[in-house]
């Protein structure tokens, strides 16, 4: 596979362009602490690429509290977690962009390949602004512009539709199984950022997006 044969490259955000998973973890852990149970890094792996609402459900399941709260209480918890998360991401700068990502994006754009963000996060615009790379994307599709969470293909299909590019001409970089499944469901080529031991079904595996820049 030659990455430069594609017309659109879609990038997941957390885990592909920037490591915000550590901040999601800290914010969710604080919530678990207030609820009185331990939330480990291993538990946090289950939240990668998953929507905020679904993440809260998983967290409550970990704590054995699945049916313990009303919808209103759960909404308050999600708001409180997000408030802490937004505080954490306010410290992000261009130094937090994962190695080689900026260079790769610039190279793609220089040869006329379109670039997009396809993220579950509702905080994606703010994160991209803080990293200073908003302008490196032709389109940003995130948790604000989608109705259905990954593994539903909507987040990736929207970019291709809006840029009028056929799905077979799109490749998606993803670090989460839900995202790889979404890319495949969209009829796109999935490139996994991570190991084939934990991520299944991708056409190619890389340690980071910077590894494919040449
Ligand atoms: P927010 P991605 C995802 O980002 C994260 O991996 C996931 O852990 C998070 O729950 C989700 O965004 C929603 O984020 O609470 O900021 O809306 O990997 O799809 O870029
Ligand atoms: Mg991700």
């Amino acid at each position: 596979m030659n990455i430069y044969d594609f017309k659109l490259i879609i990038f997941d955000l957390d885990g592909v362009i920037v490591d915000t998973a550590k901040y999601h973890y800290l914010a969710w852990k604080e919530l678990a602490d207030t609820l009185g149970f331990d939330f480990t890094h291993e538990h946090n792996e289950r939240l990668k690429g998953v929507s905020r609402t679904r993440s809260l459900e998983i967290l409550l399941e970990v704590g054995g509290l699945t049916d313990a709260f009303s919808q209103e209480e759960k909404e308050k918890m999600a708001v409180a977690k997000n408030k802490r998360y937004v505080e954490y991401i306010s410290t992000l700068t261009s130094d937090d962009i994962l190695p080689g990502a900026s260079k790769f994006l610039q190279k793609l754009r220089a040869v006329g390949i379109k670039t997009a963000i396809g993220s579950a996060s509702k905080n994606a615009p703010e994160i991209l602004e803080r990293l200073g790379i908003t302008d490196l994307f032709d389109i940003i599709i995130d948790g604000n512009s989608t109705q259905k969470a990954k593994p539903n293909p909507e987040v990736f299909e929207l970019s291709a539709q809006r840029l009028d590019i056929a799905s077979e001409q799109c490749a998606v970089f993803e670090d989460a199984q839900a995202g790889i499944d979404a890319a495949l469901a969209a009829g796109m080529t999935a490139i996994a950022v991570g190991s084939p031991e934990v991520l299944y079904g991708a056409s190619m595996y890389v340690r980071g997006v910077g590894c494919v820049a040449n």
Side-chain angles (χ1 to χ4, degrees):
M1 181 206 315
N2 184 343
I3 199 76
Y4 295 97
D5 287 340
F6 292 98
K7 289 197 171 162
L8 169 64
I9 311 285
I10 308 175
F11 295 84
D12 172 51
L13 182 59
D14 173 29
V16 171
I17 300 291
V18 60
D19 176 20
T20 36
K22 59 188 176 197
Y23 299 130
H24 280 296
Y25 172 69
L26 291 172
W28 283 126
K29 185 168 167 38
E30 284 173 31
L31 175 63
D33 287 345
T34 64
L35 295 172
F37 63 91
D38 196 23
F39 188 71
T40 65
H41 282 284
E42 205 178 354
H43 293 138
N44 194 55
E45 286 299 306
R46 293 177 60 193
L47 309 188
K48 287 190 176 171
V50 171
S51 73
R52 196 181 308 167
T53 313
R54 179 71 192 125
S55 295
L56 177 60
E57 282 169 13
I58 295 171
L59 180 120
L60 293 176
E61 189 187 302
V62 167
L65 296 168
T66 301
D67 298 315
F69 300 102
S70 67
Q71 196 52 38
E72 198 184 329
E73 285 169 321
K74 287 197 261 189
E75 271 161 31
K76 276 189 188 154
M77 286 179 204
V79 167
K81 179 268 171 180
N82 191 55
K83 194 164 171 270
R84 287 297 287 137
Y85 177 67
V86 168
E87 283 167 16
Y88 284 119
I89 60 171
S90 70
T91 63
L92 287 172
T93 70
S94 58
D95 291 343
D96 293 296
I97 301 169
L98 288 172
S102 272
K103 204 173 145 203
F104 182 42
L105 282 159
Q106 280 159 3
K107 199 163 173 185
L108 290 172
R109 295 172 69 78
V111 297
I113 296 171
K114 301 273 188 211
T115 55
I117 282 286
S119 168
S121 177
K122 293 186 172 172
N123 295 296
E126 178 172 347
I127 294 168
L128 293 169
E129 276 302 311
R130 293 202 180 273
L131 299 177
I133 54 171
T134 306
D135 293 348
L136 291 180
F137 298 96
D138 292 287
I139 190 163
I140 292 160
I141 304 291
D142 60 19
N144 302 296
S145 32
T146 47
Q147 302 294 322
K148 298 169 198 144
K150 300 170 189 176
N152 187 287
E154 183 189 19
V155 64
F156 299 135
E157 285 172 345
L158 274 178
S159 305
Q161 282 165 9
R162 293 200 187 155
L163 294 169
D164 198 21
I165 296 173
S167 54
E168 311 84 69
Q169 294 174 317
C170 303
V172 177
F173 281 88
E174 256 291 350
D175 73 317
Q177 191 61 47
I180 291 173
D181 293 342
L184 297 178
M188 299 177 180
T189 296
I191 303 174
V193 178
S195 154
E197 281 160 26
V198 288
L199 296 172
Y200 309 104
S203 301
M204 189 168 130
Y205 291 81
V206 294
R207 273 189 298 136
V209 285
C211 302
V212 274
N214 298 319

